[in-house]
């Protein structure tokens, strides 16, 4: 059993790093050296992406100088620390809306952590929240506000979730594994703000829904039906059970919920059969990690039994939150990697742009640009907008510009000669496609946020504990750094 404290994100899976490819820090160093601007730490916060700024609507290469001028916070800072209390700045309040295990349906069972089952968990709020989105609804009499809360449940902390599991040589039961799978995914929950300004969950709402690691979903877009997505359970390559490891996400202008699948490699155990064509693909994504023991009881989580199953995860899932009977769709046009976020913005020409980071050390920043324009106030017209468009990966250059390189079959090296025989291959192996295009390795792109008012895009970089002392530079002044930075 893999130690729960081990984090594969501490080890890059990008083979280009060992080959000496320039990292973001080295690009910044070269640019700042050329400009003779190496004089201070002030350059770090505003030049973290080599001063690259990209226009929201750009499809072709673009870039301009980054602007400076950060503003301070308006509240009194609280002391840094960690204890059992929830600390807030003076003048602020925090209210509990919902907790793990709280029922979200009228027939939901009251939470008992010592008697939890998968059936109960599927009717209760999930575990370990990440993305939170809100879709407003028209308030009714006596309500200040009303809307749908969309929450991702990223992972489960096994030894906190269940009693009696020792730190060493512990083995889960099939029932415990089923509870974990049911606790992943997301929750759609109607909440109402009363005259007292308090938000209250509406357990009887017809909109409420739990999405779990066993919820039936569809594969759509260019990779749907690919032989590489076919399994014993689904010989068509168009259906899949569940969404897992849902980290950051996003909301579309037409009111759907985007769930980003991140560390999907953690759910798999086993060994890919010797000589199997997916072996190198899985290695690039860190499959299998083996954090969870589900594969001991469910064949699809054992890559030795179902080598194609990991290819069915690592996508962006779109959910129609206004129709709780709808089937969620994994939009393969947006590529497969460890998605951190799916933030959307409408470009000046009306097309939708979706930004996402690949949250692993020395991986990349991506954007998807839809082929068609968003049709305002027409949900039906936008229903499958995310199935057609172009996925791009970013290369940040020393002159301060960013080149957005299309991940399309036949573009440059994305050919059969390099192991890509279709657009499905390019999207399933988006990381390798970005490798061969020469994208810029980043320090764990955690989230990418476009500002629709200014056209600027901000990239949050988590950290990079793999950076050695000889890689320190003006934009990355600390080796083995455990803190991140924000780039514009």
């Amino acid at each position: 059993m893999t130690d729960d404290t081990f984090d594969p994100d501490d080890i890059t899976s990008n083979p280009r790093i060992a080959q000496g490819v320039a990292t973001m820090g080295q690009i910044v160093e070269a640019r700042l050296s050329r400009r003779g601007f190496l004089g201070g730490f002030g350059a770090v916060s505003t030049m973290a992406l080599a001063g690259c700024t990209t226009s929201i609507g750009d499809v072709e290469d673009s870039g301009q100088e980054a602007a400076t001028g950060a503003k301070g916070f308006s509240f009194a800072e609280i002391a840094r620390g960690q204890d059992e209390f929830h600390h807030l700045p003076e003048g602020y309040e925090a209210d509990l809306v919902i907790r793990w295990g709280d029922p979200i349906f009228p027939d939901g069972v009251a939470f008992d952590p010592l008697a939890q089952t998968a059936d109960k968990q599927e009717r209760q709020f999930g575990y370990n929240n990440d993305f939170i989105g809100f879709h407003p609804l028209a308030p009714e009499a006596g309500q200040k506000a009303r809307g749908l809360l969309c929450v991702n449940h990223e992972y489960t902390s096994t030894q906190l979730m269940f009693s009696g599991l020792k730190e060493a040589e512990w083995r889960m039961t099939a029932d415990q594994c089923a509870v974990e799978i049911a606790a992943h995914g997301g929750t759609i929950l109607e909440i109402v703000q009363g005259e007292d300004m308090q938000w209250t969950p509406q357990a009887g709402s017809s909109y409420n829904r739990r999405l779990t690691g066993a919820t039936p979903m569809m594969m759509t877009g260019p990779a749907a039906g690919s032989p590489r997505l076919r399994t014993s359970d689904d010989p068509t390559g168009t259906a899949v059970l569940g969404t897992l490891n849902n980290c950051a996400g996003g909301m579309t202008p037409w009111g759907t919920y985007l769930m980003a699948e991140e560390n999907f490699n953690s759910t798999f155990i086993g060994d890919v059969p010797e000589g199997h064509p997916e072996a190198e693909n899985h290695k690039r994504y860190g499959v299998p990690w083996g954090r969870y023991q589900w594969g001991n009881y469910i064949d699809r989580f054992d890559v030795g039994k179902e080598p194609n199953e990991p290819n069915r995860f690592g996508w962006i899932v779109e959910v129609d939150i206004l129709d709780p009977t709808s089937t969620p769709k994994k939009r393969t046009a947006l590529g497969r990697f460890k998605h951190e976020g799916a933030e959307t913005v409408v470009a000046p020409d009306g097309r939708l742009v979706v930004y996402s980071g690949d949250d692993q050390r020395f991986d990349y920043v991506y954007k998807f640009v839809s082929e068609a324009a968003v049709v305002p106030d027409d949900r039906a017209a936008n229903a499958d907008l995310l199935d057609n468009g172009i996925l791009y990966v970013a290369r940040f250059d020393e002159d301060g510009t960013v080149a957005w390189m299309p991940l399309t079959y036949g573009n440059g090296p994305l050919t059969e000669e390099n192991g890509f025989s279709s657009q499905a291959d390019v999207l399933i192996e988006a990381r390798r496609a970005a490798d061969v295009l020469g994208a810029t390795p980043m320090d764990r792109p955690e989230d990418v946020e476009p500002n629709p008012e200014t056209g600027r895009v901000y990239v949050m970089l988590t950290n990079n504990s793999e950076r050695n002392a000889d890689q320190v530079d003006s934009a990355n002044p600390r080796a083995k750094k455990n803190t991140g930075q924000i780039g514009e």
Side-chain angles (χ1 to χ4, degrees), residues 186-415:
T187 296
I188 299 167
L189 175 72
E190 182 178 343
I191 58 174
V192 167
Q193 187 182 45
E195 295 294 340
D196 60 359
M197 303 302 290
Q198 302 296 304
W199 288 95
T200 305
Q202 306 298 297
S205 172
S206 61
Y207 291 114
N208 290 1
R209 187 175 187 182
R210 272 302 320 283
L211 303 159
T212 75
T215 301
M217 300 188 175
M218 294 174 57
M219 308 294 301
T220 70
S226 166
R228 302 178 68 178
L229 298 182
R230 298 173 188 172
T231 65
S232 299
D233 291 335
D234 170 35
T236 70
T238 60
V240 62
L241 286 179
T243 181
L244 300 164
N245 303 99
N246 303 95
C247 205
M251 306 293 288
T252 67
W254 52 92
T256 57
Y257 166 29
L258 301 181
M259 307 174 70
E261 297 182 326
E262 191 194 11
N263 294 317
F264 62 92
N265 58 321
S266 66
T267 64
F268 295 96
I269 66 170
D271 297 305
V272 180
E274 185 175 354
H276 195 278
E278 295 297 339
E280 288 302 311
N281 171 34
H282 290 343
K283 181 179 179 181
R284 183 64 179 88
Y285 287 95
V287 175
W289 171 356
R291 173 176 181 153
Y292 302 109
Q293 299 185 17
W294 310 342
N296 291 328
Y297 306 101
I298 305 172
D299 285 352
R300 70 188 180 104
F301 295 115
D302 184 337
V303 294
K305 297 176 180 177
E306 288 289 354
N308 283 355
E309 186 72 16
N311 289 343
R312 294 145 68 84
F313 294 88
W315 305 99
I316 295 295
V317 185
E318 185 177 14
V319 185
D320 184 348
I321 59 178
L322 299 183
D323 180 4
T325 67
S326 63
T327 301
K329 298 177 180 180
K330 297 196 178 187
R331 302 294 192 181
T332 65
L334 277 72
R336 174 175 170 265
F337 45 91
K338 291 185 178 182
H339 284 274
E340 181 77 52
E343 296 299 337
T344 66
V345 68
V346 178
D349 65 2
R351 291 181 294 170
L352 190 74
V353 183
V354 185
Y355 288 94
S356 193
D358 187 348
D359 190 5
Q360 189 153 352
R361 289 160 180 83
F362 300 120
D363 266 292
Y364 310 120
V365 173
Y366 298 81
K367 74 173 180 181
F368 169 83
V369 182
S370 66
E371 180 179 291
V374 176
V375 181
D377 303 318
D378 190 340
R379 299 182 85 246
N382 301 317
D384 293 316
L385 190 78
L386 297 181
D387 276 344
N388 298 287
I390 298 177
L391 180 67
Y392 297 83
V393 66
R395 188 191 73 224
F396 297 95
D397 295 328
E398 293 180 13
D399 63 0
T401 59
V402 55
W404 286 104
M405 302 178 292
L407 275 74
T408 53
Y409 175 63
N411 173 43
L414 303 182
T415 61

Side-chain angles (χ1 to χ4, degrees), residues 1-82:
M1 175 63 196
T2 302
D3 185 347
D4 246 3
T5 62
F6 170 70
D7 183 355
D9 284 336
D10 286 331
I11 302 175
T12 180
S13 66
N14 190 336
R16 298 174 63 217
I17 300 307
Q19 298 165 5
V21 66
T23 64
M24 173 46 74
Q26 292 164 331
I27 292 170
V28 172
E29 170 71 15
R31 182 183 180 211
L32 295 182
S33 295
R34 189 176 63 251
R35 295 179 63 199
F37 184 38
L38 297 173
F41 184 78
V44 176
S45 60
T46 58
M47 303 292 287
L49 286 188
C52 297
T53 303
T54 177
S55 168
I56 286 171
D58 284 347
V59 175
E60 304 301 331
D61 303 354
S62 66
Q64 65 184 67
E65 298 295 326
T68 61
K71 296 181 180 179
F73 293 111
S74 60
F75 54 81
E77 185 177 358
I78 59 177
R80 181 177 182 272
Q82 182 174 342

Side-chain angles (χ1 to χ4, degrees), residues 137 146 308 431 487:
L137 299 173
R146 170 174 170 251
N308 283 355
R431 275 189 173 180

